[in-house]
Amino acid sequence: VKGPVDGKYKGITADMHACSDQAITLAALAPFADSPTVIKGIGHIKYQESNRIQAITTELRKMGIRCEEDEDGITIYPGEPTAARVETYDDDRMAMGFSLIGLRAEGVTISDPMCCRKTFEKYFEVLEEVVMSLRD
């Protein structure tokens, strides 16, 4: 797996209604884009394990990332995430998605990584194995 040489990719507009479980992952990648990323069609994720739209914007703002929430989605602007302790809201997708920011930003920690146990108990072990294999 390799990203762009300069570490930036183009921001996108994505209607994620049909695949809203991946909205957190896209939101975690969005700060590293070179232009805004708009995630729409996800108003219903306010009513899942957590209010995921509010959780995403709260945690990104903690890291100094500008984002705007509306009824149906989020706009996330490019930025350099700063160190922060990410609350998971007992939501496995928040823990897994926001762990990706920690691969590029120093000092990002997940407050309750074991909330992943309900869907992917060994997520952080597998993530570490993948990261280590990419370094070899």
Side-chain angles (χ1 to χ4, degrees):
V1 176
K2 292 188 180 202
V5 174
D6 65 0
K8 299 281 185 181
Y9 64 92
K10 301 281 182 221
I12 63 171
T13 296
D15 184 333
M16 299 196 73
H17 181 78
C19 55
S20 62
D21 283 347
Q22 285 70 42
I24 295 171
T25 303
L26 180 56
L29 300 175
F32 304 105
D34 66 2
S35 56
T37 296
V38 178
I39 305 170
K40 60 184 185 173
I42 59 168
H44 62 282
I45 72 171
K46 293 177 184 179
Y47 310 104
Q48 293 181 328
E49 284 86 346
S50 66
N51 178 338
R52 287 181 171 166
I53 291 178
Q54 184 178 49
I56 290 167
T57 58
T58 297
E59 299 310 310
L60 287 174
R61 287 177 181 145
K62 274 192 210 175
M63 295 178 196
I65 301 300
R66 180 178 160 214
C67 49
E68 299 166 356
E69 175 182 340
D70 63 43
E71 285 300 311
D72 196 42
I74 308 166
T75 301
I76 302 165
Y77 296 87
E80 293 296 325
T82 58
R85 184 167 184 82
V86 175
E87 294 303 322
T88 63
Y89 308 87
D90 199 30
D91 187 335
D92 56 324
R93 293 195 188 277
M94 283 295 295
M96 292 187 283
F98 273 76
S99 69
L100 300 177
I101 294 177
L103 296 175
R104 293 265 319 259
E106 292 287 325
V108 173
T109 59
I110 304 299
S111 66
D112 181 19
M114 285 311 297
C115 72
C116 294
R117 72 182 166 271
K118 58 186 162 188
T119 57
F120 194 166
E121 185 172 355
K122 297 192 183 288
Y123 171 78
F124 286 95
E125 292 172 33
V126 171
L127 179 62
E128 182 66 26
E129 288 174 17
V130 170
V131 168
M132 295 308 287
S133 72
L134 292 173
R135 289 183 179 156
D136 293 339

